Amino acid sequence: MGQEEKQEASLEETFQELEEIIEKMQSREVTLEDTFTLYEQGIRKLKFCNQKIDAVEKKMLLLNEEGELEPFENIE
């Protein structure tokens, strides 16, 4: 199963890539066309980050009535 799974970038790696994209966009050597391409890449990476954050939020623990932590998906 390990070889079939595609390695996803971590949030930290994606944030680093976003910083690099922003730096490239701010460069005076980048053409307007390249800026649009970088912008599209940045938007895709932001969407990826939002999906990862949503997935983490769904796994967060919540306090039940007895003051104990339990997984979010077990609460009805």
Side-chain angles (χ1 to χ4, degrees):
M1 184 162 93
Q3 290 181 346
E4 294 175 9
E5 287 182 26
K6 184 179 177 185
Q7 275 297 90
E8 282 192 350
S10 69
L11 278 174
E12 292 83 6
E13 291 168 338
T14 306
F15 286 141
Q16 180 64 41
E17 292 168 0
L18 281 167
E19 283 184 33
E20 291 169 7
I21 288 172
I22 291 168
E23 286 176 18
K24 287 179 188 174
M25 288 177 73
Q26 292 173 339
S27 170
R28 292 179 186 254
E29 288 109 38
V30 176
T31 65
L32 186 58
E33 186 176 322
D34 288 342
T35 300
F36 287 127
T37 301
L38 290 167
Y39 177 80
E40 288 177 22
Q41 290 174 2
I43 293 299
R44 282 195 300 271
K45 290 187 184 303
L46 283 173
K47 286 181 182 178
F48 169 80
C49 289
N50 283 334
Q51 291 169 348
K52 289 285 259 190
I53 291 169
D54 286 345
V56 169
E57 286 176 346
K58 289 177 183 173
K59 292 179 183 176
M60 288 176 60
L61 300 176
L62 297 178
L63 281 173
N64 63 18
E65 298 85 34
E66 292 82 36
E68 297 171 350
L69 291 174
E70 58 185 56
F72 182 75
E73 64 257 6
N74 290 346
I75 298 176
E76 296 179 13

